Amino acid sequence: MSTSSADHPILPPRRPRLSVDELIRAKNAKPIRSLADLEALSADVFESDEELEEFLAFTYAERRRDVA
């Protein structure tokens, strides 16, 4: 008896798992050393101050959600 392709889903090829240090080196990431560094990064990530505020509000709410 043969099996159909529906029984075996097609999966994307597995990527090698990298450590955090390997990912940092691959991205040439630098640590955030000051508020000015963080502010410069947020300009590249968020399109507006409102979008940043929305993200921060969501993040804070999610952190507090499991505390109770």
Side-chain angles (χ1 to χ4, degrees), residues 3 7 17-18 37-38 40 43-44 47 54 56 63:
T3 59
D7 294 336
R17 291 187 177 250
L18 301 175
D37 288 350
L38 184 58
D44 294 336
E47 293 181 9
E54 197 174 293
L56 292 174
R63 286 181 178 171

Side-chain angles (χ1 to χ4, degrees), residues 2-45:
S2 65
T3 59
S4 70
S5 61
D7 294 336
H8 301 285
I10 298 172
L11 301 174
R14 294 187 75 156
R15 295 186 300 191
R17 291 187 177 250
L18 301 175
S19 70
V20 171
D21 290 332
E22 291 169 325
L23 289 170
I24 289 170
R25 280 193 299 276
K27 294 285 187 181
N28 197 25
K30 304 291 184 221
I32 297 172
R33 299 192 186 275
S34 68
L35 188 56
D37 288 350
L38 184 58
E39 187 175 7
L41 284 174
S42 69
D44 294 336
V45 175

